[in-house]
Amino acid sequence: MRSSCSCAWLPFFNNTLSPEREDCLGFARDELALGLRGLGLSVPVSLNQTGDGEGFSIQADGEGWSVSGGEQGLLYGVYRLLIRLSGGLDPALPLTQPRFELRMINHWDNPSGLVERGYAGHSLFFSNGVFSYLPERVRLYARLLCSIGINTVCLNNVNVHTPADRFIMPEYLPELAKIASLFRPFGIRLLVAVDYSLPARFEPGTADPLDPAVQAWWKKTIDRVYQTIPDLRGFLIKADSESRPGPYLYGRDHAQGAKLLSVPLAKHGGILVWRCFVYNCKQDWRDTATDRPKAAYSNYTHLDGRFDANVILQIKYGPFDFQPREPLSPLLLAMPRTGKALEVQLAQEYTGQQIDLYYMPPQWEEMLADMKGANVRHICAVSNIGDDFNWTGHDLAQANLYAYGRMAWEGTACAARFGGEWIKLTYDLAMTEHDTLLDMLMDSREIYVQYTAPLGVCWMVTTQSHYGPQPEGYEYTAWGTYLRTTSDLLGTNRTETGTGFILQYPPAIQEKYADPAECDERLLLFFHRLPYTFRMRDGRTLIQRIYDDHFLGAARAGALTDRWMSLKGHIPEAVYAHALERFERQAANAREWRDIVNTYYFRYSRIQDERGRVIYE
Ligand code: GCW
């Protein structure tokens, strides 16, 4: 593991840490003093402890400032004060409370040190099958997370590989306790991803949730876990998903399955986060009746009201799987009597793998708009962090982590505001350069969608790696993600006359998409199967719009390099050079997407580009 790292958006700390101490208020004072020193400021700041919540306020107080809040709120308030001072903002803030209660980061780190879908080096926590980390780096990471309000971290992959299945057993518990203590001063509690079938490997010999021996085993195991780590947040389970074991193996439903763990966890104040990424991954491509986006809703909605109060269903934002543009998962809008968490993916699995620039908040703005009024009280994000010097592989991908924390606190994505904050904190730029960089972030998502995902058509990625184009890579596989393009038609009919997926939405959302003439065009082909000659609202044909998007997207991706080059001399040289190389790779990737997707549709449709640009035979 590399020992050094960038300071990310907290440069004023210069990677210096306050001494470890249990006393929360004392720790907040130490961090405040250190931060003010780093900023070269000697303003007086008082900390007033009031209550014990997470909220805080910052008020002008004579020559200086006063921060008020509960124990945890004070620490959040201290970081926010420092961040606002460092970013040149007026520090005063009326009482602010987090919009989402659970604000979690999920690592997909394996004990081997490899990170599933990781694009920023190796794990910060594991290597060669054991816990292996630099305590200072873990504390720097915890501080970064706390500075943006994250309160929960799961260190191990939801696909629980040996020996991570033993993390909750006596042999590993002390290790888990040790690393939990590094996060604790920052108000961050650990969650552990657990293998549902674990008791089958011990005396019960089965993991059937209705078997009394299994119930007794979990109770004993959970009691022991909480003796060692009394403030453990709880467990995370990926069950009956992509071949992971789960209650279905025993003919039980997921409410029965969850109860097995939620009851003994509740006794200790623990929660159970239960992922809803359940779908048939052994589908036959010949089967046109099964539509994968319907899966999560179909598996769970009938269980509403049967989960305990300490259960949170973790639901991916899209009904497919973290695609660059999908509609909101209808499950997030259902199950009013069940705890729910929105799951986003900072790791850019399908969105350019931290080579291509993809700033996520514009996408989150779309989701949150559709989620308005839904009782989603929690939020989770798959981490984009690794042991790379700059944490995120692409330096600019740090902006996604920063904005995620801010969004989790405020409940709105405010793409431009959070992006601007991150830039101001991270680089020292004059207005023109600041605006250039912010515009690049703000444009990046749309650019990426233009060269990769025509009008809501997903899954044109290279199989397995998920980087680069392979339009029919998944076409005849078991994964349920079929395009079924022909010489006449493209897209999928998910309306009432098609797969019926649309019926899972409340009426207002159905209306947004039901009629191809009215449908939000950005998702036209997600919901409709149409001829190439279908007229878009601006008069262009569908196929012409697809060609245009791919030419435009690739050109704009290429132009990102020039825009970045205009920042030379303003951005630290090492960061500049490192990102430049990524922009060049992105430009090449975008050209591949443009040519392959255009050729793909041209070969089916035989329709020429009206503007006579090169499309290969
Ligand atoms: O998108 C898929 C990924 C898997 C991942 C899975 C999930 C952790 O390709 O790598 O497994 O989602 O979210 O569980």
Side-chain angles (χ1 to χ4, degrees):
M1 183 185 296
R2 285 170 236 184
S3 60
S4 57
C5 57
S6 85
C7 305
W9 55 84
L10 299 175
F12 47 86
F13 277 118
N14 199 18
N15 282 353
T16 318
L17 279 155
S18 306
E20 282 183 55
R21 52 197 276 176
E22 298 272 310
D23 144 42
C24 226
L25 189 59
F27 185 70
R29 279 214 181 91
D30 290 349
E31 285 288 271
L32 174 66
L34 203 59
L36 287 174
R37 199 174 324 136
L39 285 166
L41 295 174
S42 56
V43 282
V45 177
S46 63
L47 302 184
N48 306 313
Q49 196 175 333
T50 49
D52 56 6
E54 294 187 305
F56 64 87
S57 64
I58 305 175
Q59 278 144 351
D61 182 8
E63 300 287 280
W65 303 96
S66 99
V67 182
S68 308
E71 275 198 349
Q72 185 57 39
L74 278 178
L75 186 57
Y76 289 149
V78 161
Y79 289 129
R80 195 71 76 77
L81 173 77
L82 294 168
I83 279 178
R84 289 177 78 87
L85 288 169
S86 155
L89 294 167
D90 176 1
L93 273 182
L95 178 67
T96 161
Q97 307 264 13
R99 155 70 177 82
F100 292 103
E101 289 166 31
L102 181 76
R103 302 177 298 283
M104 174 156 72
I105 293 287
N106 288 133
H107 287 269
W108 286 354
D109 293 18
N110 294 318
S112 66
L114 296 178
V115 179
E116 182 157 349
R117 311 304 176 185
Y119 311 106
H122 286 85
S123 171
L124 282 177
F125 317 113
F126 312 115
S127 78
N128 295 317
V130 291
F131 279 84
S132 161
Y133 52 85
L134 296 169
E136 321 82 74
R137 181 126 195 215
V138 171
R139 294 183 71 220
L140 290 172
Y141 176 51
R143 173 200 268 160
L144 273 183
L145 295 186
C146 180
S147 78
I148 49 172
I150 302 301
N151 63 6
T152 307
V153 172
C154 182
L155 304 178
N156 65 311
N157 191 354
V158 288
N159 292 327
V160 184
H161 300 296
T162 323
D165 54 341
R166 306 292 169 114
F167 282 178
I168 53 168
M169 300 307 284
E171 29 185 324
Y172 280 97
L173 266 179
E175 285 295 322
L176 198 61
K178 223 192 271 168
I179 200 162
S181 72
L182 296 178
F183 284 96
R184 188 170 295 117
F186 298 92
I188 295 171
R189 290 162 63 183
L190 296 190
L191 199 85
V192 198
V194 167
D195 180 339
Y196 198 78
S197 66
L198 194 58
R201 296 202 274 298
F202 291 89
E203 211 170 302
T206 167
D208 181 351
L210 297 195
D211 185 317
V214 174
Q215 293 166 356
W217 188 89
W218 273 117
K219 188 184 165 305
K220 195 176 82 201
T221 302
I222 288 173
D223 286 348
R224 194 171 47 212
V225 167
Y226 275 86
Q227 260 162 31
T228 316
I229 313 174
D231 65 349
L232 188 79
R233 185 77 72 188
F235 286 2
L236 170 62
I237 294 274
K238 171 176 176 178
D240 295 310
S241 162
E242 302 187 323
S243 308
R244 304 310 298 167
Y248 286 169
L249 287 177
Y250 306 95
R252 315 298 182 196
D253 67 31
H254 278 206
Q256 292 169 313
K259 213 168 214 42
L260 174 67
L261 299 167
S262 60
V263 170
L265 282 167
K267 198 177 117 197
H268 301 280
I271 62 168
L272 177 64
V273 180
W274 189 274
R275 290 181 93 227
C276 297
F277 188 49
V278 178
Y279 67 98
N280 178 5
C281 68
K282 305 222 165 90
Q283 199 179 320
D284 186 331
W285 60 269
R286 297 165 190 85
D287 163 17
T288 52
T290 313
D291 186 22
R292 177 164 150 186
K294 289 165 79 172
Y297 185 99
S298 317
N299 273 287
Y300 289 96
T301 41
H302 62 284
L303 302 177
D304 193 26
R306 287 185 47 209
F307 291 99
D308 288 336
N310 64 333
V311 178
I312 298 172
L313 298 187
Q314 182 174 343
I315 304 166
K316 290 190 181 188
Y317 64 74
F320 257 134
D321 179 7
F322 298 141
Q323 298 297 294
R325 179 166 270 135
E326 289 185 66
L328 188 74
S329 168
L331 188 55
L332 286 160
L333 306 175
M335 303 190 75
R337 289 177 293 158
T338 306
K340 295 191 292 283
L342 168 69
E343 181 178 3
V344 300
Q345 193 187 35
L346 304 175
Q348 290 174 232
E349 176 177 1
Y350 298 99
T351 53
Q353 306 202 347
Q354 288 143 249
I355 299 164
D356 299 24
L357 184 64
Y358 187 102
Y359 177 57
M360 298 182 177
Q363 180 176 22
W364 299 337
E365 281 178 355
E366 287 172 17
M367 291 173 212
L368 292 175
D370 280 340
M371 227 173 71
K372 246 203 183 104
N375 76 329
V376 179
R377 300 206 321 269
H378 310 282
I379 192 160
C380 317
V382 179
S383 158
N384 60 354
I385 291 284
D387 71 350
D388 273 4
F389 172 82
N390 65 7
W391 302 93
T392 49
H394 197 314
D395 284 82
L396 301 185
Q398 285 174 12
N400 285 327
L401 177 59
Y402 178 82
Y404 166 69
R406 300 288 288 111
M407 184 246 305
W409 187 278
E410 300 213 353
T412 53
C414 304
R417 179 153 69 89
F418 298 158
E421 280 177 29
W422 176 80
I423 293 171
K424 281 206 186 104
L425 292 167
T426 311
Y427 304 119
D428 185 14
L429 297 177
M431 192 60 101
T432 317
E433 285 75 27
H434 169 278
D435 290 352
T436 300
L437 187 51
L438 183 57
D439 289 346
M440 290 172 71
L441 291 179
M442 291 298 288
D443 293 346
S444 60
R445 191 277 181 126
E446 212 47 50
I447 293 174
Y448 188 83
V449 169
Q450 274 177 331
Y451 63 76
T452 59
L455 307 169
V457 173
C458 307
W459 298 108
M460 290 190 156
V461 284
T462 304
T463 56
Q464 319 267 341
S465 79
H466 299 167
Y467 187 77
Q470 195 183 347
E472 289 194 339
Y474 278 116
E475 197 60 18
Y476 304 101
T477 69
W479 294 98
T481 56
Y482 315 114
L483 309 182
R484 305 187 199 282
T485 307
T486 69
S487 54
D488 303 316
L489 298 168
L490 69 165
T492 306
N493 181 359
R494 296 198 162 94
T495 69
E496 218 173 332
T497 61
T499 71
F501 163 72
I502 201 171
L503 301 172
Q504 296 183 343
Y505 285 105
I509 299 208
Q510 287 186 34
E511 261 165 43
K512 226 165 100 170
Y513 302 121
D515 176 358
E518 309 263 299
C519 178
D520 178 341
E521 286 189 337
R522 297 172 302 179
L523 287 166
L524 187 63
L525 296 173
F526 189 96
F527 286 99
H528 299 282
R529 186 156 176 79
L530 297 167
Y532 293 92
T533 50
F534 177 86
R535 286 281 161 197
M536 304 296 287
R537 258 157 262 162
D538 65 5
R540 280 183 287 177
T541 59
L542 181 51
I543 183 66
Q544 190 56 42
R545 166 70 191 272
I546 289 174
Y547 292 154
D548 288 350
D549 272 14
H550 283 81
F551 283 115
L552 187 60
R556 293 174 78 198
L560 284 173
T561 312
D562 306 323
R563 291 161 86 180
W564 183 247
M565 285 167 78
S566 78
L567 300 177
K568 189 170 167 58
H570 301 278
I571 296 277
E573 186 52 34
V575 174
Y576 173 80
H578 190 254
L580 180 61
E581 182 258 347
R582 293 193 181 224
F583 281 118
E584 283 161 357
R585 285 163 72 189
Q586 174 172 7
N589 184 40
R591 285 195 299 272
E592 282 301 282
W593 275 97
R594 174 196 66 196
D595 290 340
I596 290 176
V597 176
N598 282 347
T599 292
Y600 171 76
Y601 283 121
F602 174 68
R603 284 184 182 170
Y604 276 108
S605 69
R606 305 311 299 171
I607 297 175
Q608 302 283 348
D609 172 37
E610 281 168 9
R611 295 173 56 192
R613 291 161 294 194
V614 176
I615 295 181
Y616 296 86
E617 274 291 335

